[in-house]
Every structure is written in C-alpha cells, then in structure tokens.
Amino acid sequence: MTIEKLAVVGAGSMGHQIAMLGALAGYETKLQDISQESLEKAEAKLAGIMDKWVKKEKISQATREEAFSRLHFTTELEEAVSDTDLVIEAVVEKLDVKRDVFAKLDECAPSHTIFATNSSTIVSSLIADATSRPEKVCNMHFFFPPLVMDCVEVVKGEHTSEETAAVAMKVCEEMNRTAVLLQKEISGFIANRILFAIQKEAMSLYEGGYADYEDIDKIVRKALNHPIGPFELMDLSGIDVGYYVMQQQYEETGDPKDRPSKTLEEKMKAGELGRKTGKGFYTYDSPVKS
C-alpha cells in the first residue's frame, strides 16, 4: 500500500507538528481540529518554526513554501479524511474520546485507510473495535516535540496486520524519523514505562519529604546526566497529560501504585498544568498555549 495523503486529527502540541512532518515528507496533509482558533494558532506556530529553520539553513525557503502548499487546515472531519490513506489521531489522552473519534473516522474514511493513534500510553486494541477495520489500526507514538524528537514507537497489536505495521514504519522513515516496532502491546509502551518509573519514584521521594522537587531535579541532572529533571519534564510535557496517562493505567490495572499522586491531583484542581499555564511545579514568565 502506498501512502500519498495524510490526515492528522487534533491540532494541539503534538498534532500540528506531526502534520508538518507529513508535509515536509511530501504527503498531501490535512490537519483537522474542531476549533478554528486552535488551527490558526497551529498555523502561526508552524510558520514561526519553519522561519527559524530557514534562518538556520535547516531547510530552504523553497522547501518551506512547498511544505505549506501541501498542508491544509480544516474544522470538518469528513473533509479531512474522505480521501486520505492514513489518519494519525492526536486528541486528548482519554479513551472514551479516542474511541468516539475512531468510530467517526470509520464512517468518513475510505475502506483502505489506515488509522493510527498517537496515544502515549493507550494500546490500540482498546480502540480498534470501535471501527470495522481493526486490522488497519495501530499505534504511532511520536515524542514531544515531534519536529525535534527523532523517535516513533510503532506498536503492533494482535489485531494489527503486518501490512499496517509495515506502512506505519515506512511513513516514519519518509518523515525522517527513527521508528521502532513493538511486536506486542503493553500500556505505556517502552520509553514512557521507563520514564513513568522515574517520575513515580521522584514523586514518592518528594511526597515523603526526603528532598524538595528542585533538589530532586538537580540530583537527576547532575548525578544521572539527564538534560532536565523529572519535575521539570512534567511541567514541559503538561501535568494534565501525565495525570490522564496515570489515570488510564489505573483504570486498566486497578493497581493503587498506578493511580495519580495526591500532588498531581492538587495541581490538576488548581489548574497548574506546567509551562502551558505559566505554573506547574515551577513558575514561568508567561503561559505557553498549546
């Protein structure tokens, strides 16, 4: 199967950058979101990023213009997917929302279209049965920010065909991203399971009063040579994102250890979601809207 047209559903911090990767790779790409404001912000952000790339000579002006000529923005789901070959879903990390989106995609997209979810933790077998084509459903987990991070976890469930997995891997290659194929499903996949283990331990140490979050971050940076500490990373990726991921894992496993911590629940209630709101564990000069 050859992919020529790509659609991305959700224009947030992940979706708009995945769409640009598609356009840069030569695919006719449509970015869909229910909010016109979100689409306008996405287009402005991408223009700014691409302008910087041109100045740094990462791409030429011609490449920038060609990519934007292939990238289209719409609030209409049917318009976005009615003639596409691959859809990558990048909406909020809530299972019921994703299942609803996939059911609608199944109604609007051609029968040959492959559906991928960019979920950072939800396995596609929990979503695939919302469609009539489970063999064409898989995970394509890009990392934040997609235009910078050179890794994609492609996850093949028991329902996923070999062709679907192969196509997803090929698309990542065309996007100039290193793809790794997981042959079996596991909630959270590989990178995030390792990351969450670090974050859970860091949170336990903080809530246990062993050290302040700033000092824990400092130890992780200085002693383990991580570029940023676990609390800084939670602020960067969004405390709400981490909260929903943990809540989903808790619902799947029932293990109290997977439940979001008291601190995260307090941050959620206070609307302190990290850099995007101007305050998380740390305070920032101004919020960065996704």
Side-chain angles (χ1 to χ4, degrees), residues 49-284:
I49 294 171
M50 292 301 103
D51 285 343
K52 289 180 181 178
W53 281 22
V54 171
K55 288 181 180 179
K56 293 180 179 180
E57 298 185 346
K58 293 180 66 174
I59 61 172
S60 67
Q61 182 66 29
T63 298
R64 178 200 184 283
E65 292 174 1
E66 289 168 5
F68 272 103
S69 72
R70 288 188 290 264
L71 182 58
H72 311 282
F73 303 83
T74 180
T75 57
E76 300 300 321
L77 186 65
E78 185 172 0
E79 179 185 342
V81 306
S82 62
D83 63 348
T84 197
D85 303 309
L86 170 66
V87 179
I88 300 175
E89 165 271 314
V91 302
V92 66
E93 195 74 354
K94 293 184 178 181
L95 180 58
D96 58 340
V97 176
K98 291 183 184 293
R99 286 182 59 86
D100 182 58
V101 168
F102 271 68
K104 291 176 180 176
L105 290 174
D106 197 47
E107 296 175 358
C108 299
S111 59
H112 74 274
T113 305
I114 288 174
F115 298 156
T117 173
N118 179 57
S119 172
S120 59
T121 186
I122 301 172
V123 293
S124 65
S125 60
L126 296 177
I127 304 172
D129 65 348
T131 78
S132 61
R133 60 187 91 187
E135 75 283 355
K136 294 184 180 295
V137 178
C138 70
N139 288 89
M140 289 178 70
H141 176 216
F142 293 77
F143 291 84
F144 180 79
L147 283 167
V148 175
M149 298 297 287
D150 177 27
C151 189
V152 182
E153 291 174 320
V154 175
V155 188
K156 179 177 177 291
E158 291 185 1
H159 56 283
T160 309
S161 71
E162 294 289 346
E163 180 187 28
T164 295
V167 168
M169 293 289 287
K170 179 64 175 176
V171 168
C172 292
E173 179 183 335
E174 293 295 322
M175 290 180 172
N176 197 30
R177 288 295 173 268
T178 299
V180 181
L181 179 63
L182 278 63
Q183 294 286 352
K184 292 171 60 177
E185 289 187 332
I186 184 168
S187 178
F189 320 130
I190 302 298
N192 276 345
R193 289 185 70 87
I194 295 171
L195 177 62
F196 293 157
I198 294 172
Q199 290 183 344
K200 284 180 182 179
E201 184 62 23
M203 188 67 73
S204 177
L205 292 167
Y206 167 63
E207 292 185 337
Y210 296 99
D212 189 75
Y213 63 87
E214 292 175 299
D215 289 329
I216 294 172
D217 278 348
K218 185 184 297 183
I219 291 169
V220 171
R221 291 196 312 270
K222 298 294 186 179
L224 303 182
N225 204 30
H226 289 203
I228 61 176
F231 295 95
E232 292 171 309
L233 184 55
M234 281 186 264
D235 274 5
L236 177 63
S237 59
I239 287 172
D240 54 332
V241 174
Y243 177 87
Y244 291 137
V245 166
M246 291 179 185
Q247 187 64 35
Q248 178 61 37
Q249 284 191 318
Y250 175 61
E251 290 176 4
E252 290 180 28
T253 67
D255 188 340
K257 293 180 180 179
D258 291 332
R259 189 171 185 172
S261 70
K262 179 181 179 181
T263 300
L264 287 185
E265 290 183 348
E266 291 174 350
K267 293 288 184 187
M268 286 290 292
K269 289 178 181 178
E272 298 174 357
L273 308 181
R275 288 181 177 269
K276 68 175 74 177
T277 60
K279 182 175 175 56
F281 287 96
Y282 297 87
T283 300
Y284 305 90

Side-chain angles (χ1 to χ4, degrees), residues 11-13 16 37 41-42 45 271 275-278 286-290:
S13 57
H16 73 284
E37 182 182 5
K41 287 182 178 179
K45 282 185 177 182
R275 288 181 177 269
K276 68 175 74 177
T277 60
S286 60
V288 180
K289 298 298 184 181
S290 63

